[in-house]
Amino acid sequence: MDFELNEDQRAIAEMAGSLMSDFCTDEYLRDWDLSGQAYMQQLWASCVETGLHALAIPETAGGSGLGMIELMQILDAQGGALAQVPLWRHQLAAATLAQFGGVAVAPWVERAVAATGLLTLSLDGLTNVRGIELHASPEADGWRLDGRIAALALAEQSNAALVLAQVAGQPRLVLVDLQQAGIRSVPGVMTHGEALADLQVEGVMLSSDHVLPGAALDWLAPRAIAALASLQLGVSAEQVHRTVAYVSERQQFNRSIGSFQAVQMSMADTHVQLEVLRSALWQLCYRLDAGLPAPSEALATAYLACEAGHRIGHTAQHVHGGIGVDLSYPIHRFLYWSRALSSALGGSSAILERLGDWLSDNDTLGWKYDLDEHQAL
């Protein structure tokens, strides 16, 4: 498999990396932690100006029409910079609406492309122990929504959300206008600084064309995993980079601690975990862009992202010693992010259970064994 980026993809990766890293300096992040802002609005404006906010939205809807490989480059850079901007949720929600929605939801896609409206999404009901807590009951002109949406990212800052609801006994994606009456929010903040809110929904009316077909969830779910894993890759890679720099400079017994065998072995392990995640993520994004099925690949990537976040985060904190828990030192932010991303993915145990269920009903391993990869070329 050729992992080389083409010229356009390299340009996108370089632009995103420069934009994110130049903006999110350690000094800026320290000030932003105390600002009380829901997200980095100035950086978001720059993302809109450069078109990064609509990169994965189809060209027919006004977006750039690029794929998950390109989006992966942007999210990798975002993770490495710890940039609080709603890149993946906004455009994957819009892309899903563009792919599976009708005329009634088209204005929301147009607003997403023009950045005059912010979209968010949540698939937490697939992994949450409580399951999907939002229920739709039939009404004469559509559906009535009642229940709860837990920890919806940027719920109070977004105009609409693509969320899961139980519709006729099946999980379906529904588009909810967050400005409607009948929605009560309880705001909060994740440990890594992302604004969210629990939404209590009571008697919200939904027209039938705001309920997407079942295929929309199958299309969105693996792409959401790829997006979160891309962020985890960026966070973990920068975590390893900073830790290597630290152990190369930190002196003990008149030697850099990076020269100690135990430290070297620990850092070698983090590199292996990072590259395993990278390879799995590349495979997943390749298959998604090629239109190949990827249910097991997505779950395997999600598991590896959770494991990498956990193991690399622990190693980085351990090697840093006492300074790692000093909030004036920047390394703790990466641990917060990796934990939050693992939580969003559902956690290692829950993912393994879902992968086991898949394997029990399938007699192939997925990956490259289910069909010849060259068929997609």
Side-chain angles (χ1 to χ4, degrees), residues 155 170 262 307:
Q170 297 295 322
E307 286 294 289

Side-chain angles (χ1 to χ4, degrees), residues 33 82 84 190-194 232 235 239 309 313-314 317 324-344:
D33 285 345
L82 307 183
Q84 285 286 5
M190 281 289 286
T191 51
H192 70 311
E194 184 175 53
Q232 188 74 282
V235 170
Q239 214 170 9
H314 263 280
Q317 290 299 121
V325 296
D326 182 352
L327 298 186
S328 65
Y329 192 77
I331 198 67
H332 72 279
R333 294 190 184 90
F334 294 88
L335 184 66
Y336 285 169
W337 269 71
S338 62
R339 289 293 181 272
L341 291 167
S342 296
S343 176

Side-chain angles (χ1 to χ4, degrees), residues 47 136 141 152 178 228 237 263 278 283 309 311 323 325 355 361:
C47 291
D141 298 325
L152 179 63
L178 297 175
L228 288 165
V263 175
R278 192 190 309 277
Q283 174 84 334
R311 294 176 182 273
I323 198 171
V325 296
L355 185 57
D361 296 327

